[in-house]
Amino acid sequence: ADTQTDSVVFRNFDLASLRLIGIFSAQSLFKHLLTEGDRIVLTLLGSSYDRGVYGMASSIGGIASRMLLQPVEENARLLFGRLGSEVESAEPVHRSNKLETLERTYTTLIKMVLYFGLVFASLGSNYTSILLRILAGNAWGSNEDATAALSAFCIYTALLALNG
């Protein structure tokens, strides 16, 4: 009965498509663990106070990445897509010039994002208590755990900027 069932599956489905479905499912699960893993671990192991401090740091710290880094990432993707297609479609004589332009643009963008991340990490991590007092009031601004979490999130944002 098993060989008959196997033959029905192999006959009715394309093996390459089944393989792609498996790969995409594994990739989606991995992405979910990367994006939500911190919350899953915090829910399992942390107290409600820890979740509150992390939620505050994540919300306030994510403002910089959403407002500054996300537009840069989206525009860079469009720019590199356009420049890459220009390199592909260019005549062999002009291809090296287009490739140099692409490399120069890439290195300039990496430098800019790295500088932004370093400035954000160095300034942001030192002035989190002031920022918390302005944005969330004295209760959060004088909370050492909250300022430490937001300081760590500033350094994490710098790493996100480099990865982005």
Side-chain angles (χ1 to χ4, degrees):
D2 288 333
T3 58
Q4 188 177 21
T5 304
D6 290 343
S7 66
V8 169
V9 169
F10 290 129
R11 194 170 1 121
N12 290 327
F13 294 104
D14 181 35
L15 291 178
S17 296
L18 287 175
R19 184 173 178 271
L20 279 176
I21 289 171
I23 290 170
F24 287 144
S25 297
Q27 187 179 27
S28 295
L29 179 65
F30 185 64
K31 180 183 178 191
H32 178 70
L33 288 176
L34 287 176
T35 56
E36 301 295 327
D38 53 348
R39 290 181 189 91
I40 294 169
V41 169
L42 201 56
T43 299
L44 294 175
L45 302 176
S47 66
S48 60
Y49 174 77
D50 293 336
R51 287 193 298 271
V53 168
Y54 178 80
M56 179 277 314
S58 178
S59 297
I60 293 177
I63 291 172
S65 60
R66 283 191 300 273
M67 290 183 69
L68 299 172
L69 297 176
Q70 187 177 12
V72 170
E73 180 182 352
E74 291 171 0
N75 287 320
R77 185 177 299 123
L78 292 172
L79 176 67
F80 291 133
R82 184 179 57 84
L83 290 175
S85 68
E86 287 178 7
V87 169
E88 292 287 322
S89 65
E91 296 177 17
V93 176
H94 301 293
R95 188 168 287 166
S96 65
N97 288 340
K98 299 276 186 185
L99 193 57
E100 285 178 23
T101 302
L102 180 65
E103 289 174 1
R104 192 173 42 252
T105 304
Y106 179 73
T107 55
T108 302
L109 183 64
I110 289 294
K111 286 178 185 177
M112 182 189 74
V113 168
L114 182 61
Y115 291 148
F116 167 77
L118 290 173
V119 167
F120 188 77
S122 61
L123 292 178
S125 61
N126 290 317
Y127 296 106
T128 54
S129 63
I130 296 170
L131 179 68
L132 282 175
R133 283 194 173 113
I134 293 170
L135 294 177
N138 277 339
W140 282 111
S142 60
N143 186 326
E144 289 182 19
D145 293 332
T147 56
L150 192 56
S151 295
F153 206 87
C154 289
I155 295 168
Y156 172 69
T157 302
L159 295 175
L160 280 177
L162 187 60
N163 182 40

